[in-house]
């Protein structure tokens, strides 16, 4: 890999979400919370969801980490708010596919701002940063199903 | 070649390290992750290869010629390390997988044998996790307590209240000789003297010291000294625990198995003499041979020249870094108190993002907590970016680092 494109990785939109994360802070009405961390690098996300009748009513996050991990969770919470759980799972699956090089997923308009993270797929050691939020989302949905 | 200090020639040294001469991500490699592991010179690579091509056999068992040669090579390596460390007896040199295993060995044997509820182990906040967690495990099982020497704003040990931290219950002080996260060179003599006055033993983690400075265990006066070969140009998977013979003799064995026994009965066995008592199973023979070759290489280059060269790089780098806006360097300001490690923060750019950008410029550094989460907590950061020097780095490497940091600022400063 000799042609790393830093500009495709660090797009304006990603830095914007990093500096001004959407939906950051505690969610008192949360019905499920998942703490996910990457102990190797210290990225950390606490994803808090308010799920009612299989629908994500509200989504927030608390944590710290690199621009990729924090932008991903900011974009993701923005996108899944108001979505059915099955839809949110679809987003997680599409995003994971995108990280593994699926260019179709990267053109999917329903992915919203998350498409800006496509460049991460060219940086293998950073893919886990982007996926942390989605691992948390999938765990949260699983936990909700077990509990309800 | 470079027989004396005055002939220290970085270009000649670089030629000894094949891995340095390559292109990474379209740029020539600048390797500044030496505190994680150092690169290997031809001498070490050739010794490893020759051992496997000509002498490979198991040690201490076979009657045949290859086994004899392997045993001579393995025990000869021990003698070489012993002489280099100025140990009083080569039986004090125990081969381990690395610093981590060396410390765990002491914790699992001496620690479990000697520590009782209420006893205290004194650590420092700057320890690598490998010199914290083994003691936590022992403390959990024995009821011993952990206490810590704190750090000041420059990441130096606060030793003013050392007399209070060392109590009659203190049985061991376990501390690093040189900090991997900040580069701080600790005044270990002072701590050793105070600890011994209270009857406590001292274990030093020398992982970050031996690549950069001459260590003489007789002169230091500690009771245990642990280090890894791979940080001083030797192979991975090999390290050394040096301990005082009279203490090692009293300690229980570490692992059970072949090599470490005298006689084996149905219900009990007797142990081999030092150092074999602590070396169960087939050892890393090639690793030991490679470690001795690394010792030869370090001495051939010469510690004095290495120290001088790395101090020069450190001075040059810190001076250049002063010119970067928003750059904060952690660690001691007095260069005599620090080795060639620069841990820093750059504006709001996360260390991982800095590492990715530098990597795309061919510059390898480390980003993260450096297995020193207590240091990160002390600094009030989640992670730092760390550049660390070795004998083969040049001012050109520093310039490449600085150029890379300007790219970071270009992206994150907008």
């Amino acid at each position: 890999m000799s042609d790393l494109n830093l500009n495709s990785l660090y797009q304006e939109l990603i830095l914007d979400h990093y500096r001004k994360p959407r939906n950051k802070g505690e969610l008192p009405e949360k019905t499920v919370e998942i703490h996910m961390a990457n102990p190797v690098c210290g990225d950390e996300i606490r994803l808090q969801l308010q799920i009612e009748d299989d629908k994500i009513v509200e989504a927030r996050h608390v944590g710290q980490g690199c621009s990729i991990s924090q932008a991903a969770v900011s974009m993701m919470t923005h996108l899944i708010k108001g979505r059915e759980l099955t839809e949110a799972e679809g987003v997680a699956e599409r995003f994971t596919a995108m990280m593994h090089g699926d260019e179709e997923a990267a053109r999917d308009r329903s992915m919203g701002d998350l498409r800006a993270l496509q460049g991460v797929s060219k940086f293998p050691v950073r893919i886990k940063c982007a996926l942390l939020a989605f691992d948390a989302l999938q765990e949260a949905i699983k936990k909700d199903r077990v509990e309800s | 070649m470079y027989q004396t200090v005055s002939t220290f020639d970085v270009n000649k040294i670089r030629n000894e390290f094949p891995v340095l001469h390559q292109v990474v991500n379209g740029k020539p490699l600048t390797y500044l992750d030496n505190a994680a592991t150092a690169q290997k010179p031809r001498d070490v690579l050739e010794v490893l290869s020759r051992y496997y091509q000509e002498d490979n056999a198991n040690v201490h068992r076979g009657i045949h010629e290859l086994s004899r040669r392997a045993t001579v090579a393995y025990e000869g390596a021990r003698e070489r390390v012993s002489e280099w460390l100025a140990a009083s007896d080569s039986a004090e040199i125990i081969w381990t997988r690395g610093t981590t295993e060396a410390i765990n060995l002491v914790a699992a044997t001496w620690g479990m044998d000697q520590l009782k509820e209420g006893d205290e182990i004194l650590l420092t906040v700057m320890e690598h996790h490998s010199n914290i967690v083994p003691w936590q495990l022992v403390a959990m099982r024995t009821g011993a307590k952990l206490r810590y020497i704190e750090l000041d704003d420059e990441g130096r040990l606060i030793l003013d209240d050392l007399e209070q931290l060392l109590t009659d219950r203190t049985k061991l002080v376990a501390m690093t000789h040189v900090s991997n996260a900040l580069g701080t060179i600790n005044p270990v003599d002072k701590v050793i003297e105070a600890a011994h006055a209270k009857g406590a033993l001292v274990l030093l983690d020398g992982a970050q010291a031996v690549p950069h400075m001459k260590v003489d265990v007789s002169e230091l006066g500690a009771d245990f000294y642990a280090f890894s070969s791979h940080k001083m140009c030797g192979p991975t998977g090999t390290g050394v625990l040096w301990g005082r013979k009279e203490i090692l003799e009293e300690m229980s064995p570490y692992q059970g198995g072949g090599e470490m026994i005298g006689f084996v009965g149905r219900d009990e066995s007797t142990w081999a003499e030092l150092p074999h008592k602590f070396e169960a199973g087939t050892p890393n023979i090639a690793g030991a041979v490679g470690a001795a070759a690394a010792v030869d290489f370090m001495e051939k280059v010469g510690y004095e020249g290495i120290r001088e060269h790395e101090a020069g790089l450190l001075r040059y780098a810190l001076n250049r870094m002063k010119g970067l806006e928003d750059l904060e360097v952690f660690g001691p300001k007095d260069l005599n108190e620090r080795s060639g490690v620069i841990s820093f923060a750059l504006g709001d750019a996360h260390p991982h993002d800095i590492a990715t950008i530098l990597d795309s410029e061919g510059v390898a550094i480390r980003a993260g907590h450096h297995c020193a989460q207590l240091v990160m907590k002390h600094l009030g950061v989640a992670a730092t970016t760390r550049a660390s020097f070795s004998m083969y780095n040049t001012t050109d490497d520093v310039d490449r680092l600085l150029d890379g940091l300007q790219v970071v600022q270009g992206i994150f400063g907008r």
Side-chain angles (χ1 to χ4, degrees):
Chain A
M1 193 177 51
S2 62
D3 187 25
L4 296 184
N5 191 342
L6 285 177
N7 290 328
S8 80
L9 182 64
Y10 293 111
Q11 291 185 27
E12 198 70 45
L13 191 57
I14 294 174
L15 295 176
D16 183 64
H17 275 272
Y18 174 52
R19 296 222 168 92
K20 290 177 282 185
R22 326 295 197 258
N23 310 307
K24 189 144 186 181
E26 302 283 343
L27 176 61
E29 300 83 14
K30 64 179 179 264
T31 58
V32 57
E33 174 175 53
I34 292 292
H35 179 232
M36 279 259 169
N38 185 338
V40 180
C41 63
D43 287 349
E44 200 179 354
I45 288 170
R46 269 198 296 126
L47 180 67
Q48 304 181 341
L49 302 179
Q50 181 187 358
I51 301 175
E52 282 167 16
D53 301 329
D54 290 337
K55 194 173 168 181
I56 299 169
V57 179
E58 186 58 84
R60 286 204 202 145
H61 63 100
V62 184
Q64 58 180 8
C66 65
S67 64
I68 306 300
S69 71
Q70 299 305 303
V73 71
S74 168
M75 293 170 175
M76 182 196 80
T77 48
H78 183 71
L79 196 66
I80 61 172
K81 236 191 270 190
R83 300 285 187 99
E84 300 286 336
L85 292 185
T86 49
E87 282 181 282
E89 281 178 310
V91 170
E93 276 161 27
R94 284 240 100 170
F95 187 80
T96 307
M98 187 170 103
M99 285 302 103
H100 295 127
D102 182 343
E103 301 204 353
E104 190 107 352
R107 285 193 291 270
D108 184 346
R109 284 173 171 275
S110 72
M111 295 295 282
D113 286 359
L114 285 169
R115 284 172 299 172
L117 287 164
Q118 189 204 358
V120 179
S121 67
K122 301 281 190 306
F123 292 78
V125 299
R126 302 302 299 278
I127 291 173
K128 65 183 189 325
C129 310
L131 287 180
L132 192 64
F134 293 89
D135 291 343
L137 175 62
Q138 282 169 323
E139 282 300 309
I141 294 173
K142 212 188 284 175
K143 193 173 170 190
D144 174 76
R145 291 205 173 116
V146 170
E147 285 172 4
S148 58
Chain B
M1 293 290 277
Y2 22 80
Q3 270 114 19
T4 62
V5 172
S6 58
T7 61
F8 186 97
D9 178 342
V10 72
N11 291 318
K12 275 187 184 163
I13 291 169
R14 289 181 70 78
N15 283 335
E16 300 295 317
F17 291 83
V19 80
L20 295 177
H21 308 279
Q22 63 174 298
V23 168
V24 169
N25 294 328
K27 309 276 169 62
L29 171 67
T30 278
Y31 186 78
L32 294 174
D33 194 16
N34 295 289
T37 197
Q39 298 301 345
K40 319 306 174 199
R42 249 180 258 283
D43 284 6
V44 170
L45 300 175
E46 280 165 11
V47 160
L48 289 172
S49 161
R50 199 183 320 126
Y51 169 76
Y52 279 123
Q53 289 189 36
E54 297 174 10
D55 302 328
N56 179 53
N58 213 328
V59 290
H60 301 137
R61 311 200 217 301
I63 306 297
H64 55 81
E65 171 63 13
L66 291 194
S67 176
R68 185 194 65 80
R69 275 192 238 153
T71 306
V72 166
Y74 180 65
E75 292 303 330
R78 195 192 309 275
E79 291 285 344
R80 180 69 183 97
V81 168
S82 173
E83 169 205 33
W84 167 70
L85 276 182
S88 58
D89 188 331
S90 67
E92 295 182 331
I93 305 295
I94 316 292
W95 292 112
T96 66
R97 282 192 293 133
T99 311
T100 299
E101 191 181 44
I103 296 170
N104 274 276
L105 189 160
V106 178
T109 61
W110 180 88
M112 290 304 293
D113 289 346
Q114 302 292 331
L115 296 172
K116 289 185 280 299
E117 190 166 356
D119 284 346
E120 292 173 2
I121 304 165
L122 184 59
L123 308 172
T124 87
V125 169
M126 74 167 70
E127 296 314 305
H128 187 282
H129 296 161
S130 61
N131 202 20
I132 296 173
V133 184
W135 304 115
Q136 291 176 339
L137 292 171
V138 169
M140 273 161 48
R141 291 176 191 156
T142 60
K145 282 199 184 71
L146 303 182
R147 301 187 73 181
Y148 285 90
I149 299 175
E150 300 294 331
L151 305 186
D152 68 12
D153 291 345
E154 289 186 32
R156 296 171 302 186
L157 299 178
I158 299 175
L159 296 175
D160 302 342
D161 55 353
L162 185 59
E163 298 297 325
Q164 284 79 56
L165 286 168
L166 287 164
T167 72
D168 296 338
R169 308 300 314 258
T170 311
K171 293 290 182 290
L172 177 77
V173 179
M175 66 183 287
T176 192
H177 195 167
V178 175
S179 158
N180 73 309
L182 299 166
T184 316
I185 301 170
N186 286 322
V188 289
D189 341 10
K190 201 173 160 182
V191 181
I192 293 168
E193 199 186 326
H196 283 172
K198 287 279 187 181
L201 298 186
V202 178
L203 176 146
L204 295 181
D205 168 355
Q208 299 291 339
V210 292
H212 312 288
M213 59 176 80
K214 175 80 188 144
V215 171
D216 177 326
V217 290
S218 302
E219 197 181 291
L220 266 179
D223 302 287
F224 297 106
Y225 199 89
F227 67 90
S228 300
S229 175
H230 73 92
K231 294 192 199 281
M232 51 174 282
C233 303
T236 52
T238 298
V240 166
L241 170 69
W242 167 83
R244 282 186 193 287
K245 200 175 178 188
E246 59 273 23
I247 303 170
L248 293 174
E249 273 173 347
E250 291 301 309
M251 279 158 53
S252 301
Y254 177 43
Q255 295 177 328
E259 193 89 24
M260 54 74 70
I261 43 89
F263 296 96
V264 175
R266 285 193 177 219
D267 295 316
E268 52 188 38
S269 302
T270 59
W271 319 136
E273 295 293 314
L274 287 177
H276 309 294
K277 180 170 88 174
F278 295 108
E279 295 181 0
T282 295
N284 183 351
I285 307 162
V289 171
V295 165
D296 287 341
F297 183 79
M298 297 298 288
E299 291 208 323
K300 192 162 77 176
V301 177
Y303 274 102
E304 225 174 294
I306 292 171
R307 176 89 181 116
E308 202 179 308
H309 176 70
E310 291 174 357
L313 288 175
L314 185 65
R315 205 175 311 119
Y316 179 73
L318 290 173
N319 264 332
R320 283 218 54 194
M321 285 173 131
K322 275 182 198 152
L324 273 187
E325 217 180 309
D326 287 340
L327 187 127
E328 183 186 3
V329 174
F330 304 111
K333 294 200 165 53
D334 181 347
L335 298 192
N336 294 316
E337 292 179 287
R338 95 189 269 162
S339 72
V341 169
I342 303 179
S343 234
F344 62 93
L346 183 58
D348 73 346
H350 191 279
H352 287 142
D353 294 315
I354 297 174
T356 291
I357 295 167
L358 291 176
D359 182 47
S360 74
E361 299 292 315
V363 179
I365 51 87
R366 177 82 183 266
H369 53 57
H370 316 296
C371 295
Q373 291 186 9
L374 301 188
V375 174
M376 298 300 113
K377 200 166 179 216
H378 172 78
L379 298 174
V381 298
T384 72
T385 307
R386 180 186 73 186
S388 50
F389 302 120
S390 177
M391 61 175 93
Y392 43 68
N393 289 122
T394 62
T395 51
D396 186 47
D397 288 332
V398 176
D399 292 340
R400 300 269 316 280
L401 168 68
L402 269 289
D403 290 348
L405 293 177
Q406 266 156 7
V407 177
V408 174
Q409 283 191 321
I411 290 170
F412 277 81
R414 68 195 182 202

